Amino acid sequence: MSIWLKNATVFDGKAFMEGTRHLVVEGGQIAHLGAEAPEGFEGQTLDLEGKWLCPGFWDLHTHLREPGQEWREDLTSGSLAGAAGGYTTLVAMPNTDPPVDCPSAVSYVARKGRELPGARVLPAGCVSKERKGEELAELLKMAEEGAVLFTDDGAPVRSSGLLRLALRYLDGTGLAVMEHSEDRSLFGKGQVHEGVISAVSGLAGVPSSCEVLGVQRGIELLREVGGCLHFTHLSAARSLELIRAAKAEGLSVTCDVTPHHLTFSEEDVMASGYDGYFKVNPPLRSVRDREALWGGIEDGTVDAIGTDHAPWHADEKDLPFQEASFGIASLECAAAGVLDGAARRGVAAEKVLAALTRAPRCILGRGGDDLLAVGAEADLTVVDPDRVEKVNPRLWRSKAKHSPWSGVVLKGWPVLTLLGDRVLWRASEEQ
């Protein structure tokens, strides 16, 4: 395939280039990038005037439910959903049934992940066998089969001793442990943030300290034994203060936040009438916490934006709030949600785009420089910053046809995803 993407405003992973650029893809690689148009080009031409051409969006945290829970989502439907949301690469969480906790399970996800019709899928492996937090899984053997990070996500690594051992074991490999930060003794039967909403509703609250203590645990262990530690879906202002200090100390710590924690707060849960589609772990917290997350995007404390896309069957979410499952589906509107939120707050688009492109690659050790160099794989996402659409989950490629964004009008949408020699997805010209 040969394709000329002309007159684009190019974001290179760090900043927008001056003026407009022309990029040519041939044989799955970038063959030309410059201010001058290519000479003698023969192939498909797309005029991107007014649109942003970026390295492909990567999602560090996606629940695709395969193996074992394919009625909720599977690798194929998740791959198509990711491509439609602007993502070229998804990291599949291992809390499946059975969990991805051994080399053969990693091999299955890795092999299938290379053959999907939409976004490429990379496997994460469990830290512990069966995610029980008792015995270390075969981390390096899973890495040989393609595991790109290790996590017991859905829960923290239960034992501090095991988390310490995993960090020590992986020290020097460049492979990260992704930690779901939670003190389970403080979570209890929690349903919502412990604050205004728990006081008003009477629902059991989850205090911010539930997350903060988990962050403190991880940082102390990292300081002691080394390794790379990534905290996922942080939600509390105090958590970011700890991350900020750990980075200043020089520790190898990174973190991500989710589109839903950047968009919604406990006030939205109340305004929805306690709609189960807003139920998530960690819970949607205070407005102050939400705005602190945006502050972390602006000052670089937050490295990446991970969707934590959690697809459930409608029967598992369309329930009274106390009975609904935790988790929010968002792959197909996540990038638009954060781009819209950034524009409303005056946050530079470069900050969001870097968190969607360069940062995830750096965390996975997949390089963060020269992403658009001639000769590099064509891994590209195009965004139309002026495109306005209403979120309609009924039209999603995901099997999860529900979301708290349903009916919300967003401005700034991915319109093209391209990987290698394939156009994974292209938006309709109609808006």
Side-chain angles (χ1 to χ4, degrees), residues 251-321:
L251 297 179
S252 184
V253 60
T254 53
C255 70
D256 67 65
V257 298
T258 72
H260 47 267
H261 287 109
L262 287 167
T263 301
F264 304 113
S265 72
E266 61 181 349
E267 294 184 2
D268 294 290
V269 183
M270 291 186 286
S272 75
Y274 301 93
D275 188 328
Y277 295 138
F278 285 84
K279 185 177 179 180
V280 68
N281 180 27
L284 299 171
R285 298 202 184 273
S286 69
V287 171
R288 174 181 172 273
D289 287 306
R290 182 189 66 194
E291 298 311 308
L293 302 186
W294 280 107
I297 294 284
E298 288 191 283
D299 69 16
T301 301
V302 172
D303 299 276
I305 297 170
T307 67
D308 194 10
H309 172 71
W312 296 96
H313 190 276
D315 291 346
E316 298 168 299
K317 290 294 284 182
D318 191 15
L319 293 167
F321 196 88

Side-chain angles (χ1 to χ4, degrees), residues 77-321:
S77 64
S79 167
L80 292 170
Y87 293 92
T88 61
T89 302
L90 311 172
V91 178
M93 292 295 98
N95 60 330
T96 49
D97 184 18
V100 180
D101 66 347
C102 64
S104 61
V106 168
S107 177
Y108 168 80
V109 176
R111 183 183 70 255
K112 193 165 182 180
R114 293 189 292 268
E115 302 168 350
L116 296 167
R120 168 176 52 199
V121 172
L122 305 176
C126 294
V127 172
S128 65
K129 292 183 178 180
E130 300 182 42
R131 291 182 59 247
K132 291 183 177 180
E134 298 171 355
E135 185 178 357
L136 195 67
E138 296 177 299
L139 306 185
L140 296 185
K141 288 185 178 180
M142 286 193 285
E144 291 175 358
E145 295 297 332
V148 296
L149 57 80
F150 300 97
T151 180
D152 278 355
D153 184 62
V157 176
R158 184 181 302 175
S159 161
S160 295
L162 194 69
L163 177 56
R164 184 176 187 270
L165 180 61
L167 288 169
R168 172 171 282 173
Y169 197 70
L170 294 173
D171 188 24
T173 67
L175 293 164
V177 174
M178 174 190 276
E179 178 68 338
H180 169 124
S181 182
E182 181 181 293
D183 184 321
R184 307 218 83 182
S185 68
L186 291 174
F187 192 92
K189 296 181 180 180
Q191 299 284 321
V192 294
H193 173 58
E194 185 176 276
V196 173
I197 185 172
S198 62
V200 169
S201 68
L203 293 169
V206 180
S208 296
S209 58
C210 176
E211 175 180 286
V212 171
L213 290 174
V215 174
Q216 289 177 327
R217 177 185 81 155
I219 289 174
E220 287 299 324
L221 296 175
L222 184 67
R223 181 182 291 118
E224 190 169 73
V225 301
C228 300
L229 185 57
H230 178 81
F231 291 100
T232 193
H233 55 48
L234 292 184
S235 63
R238 176 59 181 153
S239 296
L240 293 194
E241 293 174 8
L242 294 170
I243 297 293
R244 193 173 286 117
K247 287 187 171 188
E249 188 180 335
L251 297 179
S252 184
V253 60
T254 53
C255 70
D256 67 65
V257 298
T258 72
H260 47 267
H261 287 109
L262 287 167
T263 301
F264 304 113
S265 72
E266 61 181 349
E267 294 184 2
D268 294 290
V269 183
M270 291 186 286
S272 75
Y274 301 93
D275 188 328
Y277 295 138
F278 285 84
K279 185 177 179 180
V280 68
N281 180 27
L284 299 171
R285 298 202 184 273
S286 69
V287 171
R288 174 181 172 273
D289 287 306
R290 182 189 66 194
E291 298 311 308
L293 302 186
W294 280 107
I297 294 284
E298 288 191 283
D299 69 16
T301 301
V302 172
D303 299 276
I305 297 170
T307 67
D308 194 10
H309 172 71
W312 296 96
H313 190 276
D315 291 346
E316 298 168 299
K317 290 294 284 182
D318 191 15
L319 293 167
F321 196 88

